[in-house]
Amino acid sequence: MDVCVKYPHKTQVSLDSMVQMGAQATLQLPTDVTFLFEYELLRNGDPIAMITDEMDYRAVGTSGINGRHMNFPNFPLVDDSPDLGMNTYVLRCTNSSNQPSPLITIGSRSLKATVFEC
């Protein structure tokens, strides 16, 4: 998302974001696993905030390929020091686990910016 800032010392950018992710086991048998999920907000390619969450995947059924959908809640942030000119904000989500399972997919995500000039 691109945000134009004309007066960086008098501007704040309020960011709201949310992610819906799906987890699907890739093992042959139902297995409970724990994985790490990173949720980052970046400004112009540089991280400005990050949450690392350890999540538990509880396998269900008999095949081990059943999945779960989870919502990562709203991650509000106020950027008090945006750069002059065009700023590009990105929401990046990563499975940072060393485990091959579960397979993580992002079903939907949203990022909203509101600019406040003081």
Side-chain angles (χ1 to χ4, degrees):
M1 164 174 297
D2 293 332
V3 174
C4 184
V5 175
K6 295 179 184 177
Y7 309 103
H9 298 294
K10 297 181 178 183
T11 302
Q12 293 179 327
V13 179
S14 174
L15 299 166
D16 290 302
S17 58
M18 192 203 112
V19 171
Q20 181 187 50
M21 59 182 244
Q24 183 177 30
T26 57
L27 304 172
Q28 294 297 326
L29 300 171
T31 305
D32 296 343
V33 294
T34 298
F35 63 96
L36 295 175
F37 185 72
E38 290 181 3
Y39 188 100
E40 284 182 288
L41 289 171
L42 297 95
R43 179 185 0 103
N44 302 326
D46 296 322
I48 57 174
M50 179 174 72
I51 293 176
T52 301
D53 192 13
E54 184 176 270
M55 296 186 173
D56 296 319
Y57 176 84
R58 186 160 187 96
V60 295
T62 58
S63 64
I65 59 170
N66 293 319
R68 294 273 192 265
H69 292 278
M70 297 167 264
N71 289 329
F72 205 97
N74 184 15
F75 181 19
L77 176 79
V78 175
D79 186 2
D80 286 325
S81 56
D83 295 334
L84 176 66
M86 195 62 70
N87 289 274
T88 300
Y89 292 93
V90 173
L91 170 61
R92 180 168 57 194
C93 305
T94 309
N95 178 0
S96 60
S97 227
N98 293 333
Q99 311 234 5
S101 182
L103 173 66
I104 305 298
T105 57
I106 302 300
S108 65
R109 63 183 176 162
S110 72
L111 179 61
K112 179 179 84 168
T114 306
V115 179
F116 296 97
E117 290 185 4
C118 306

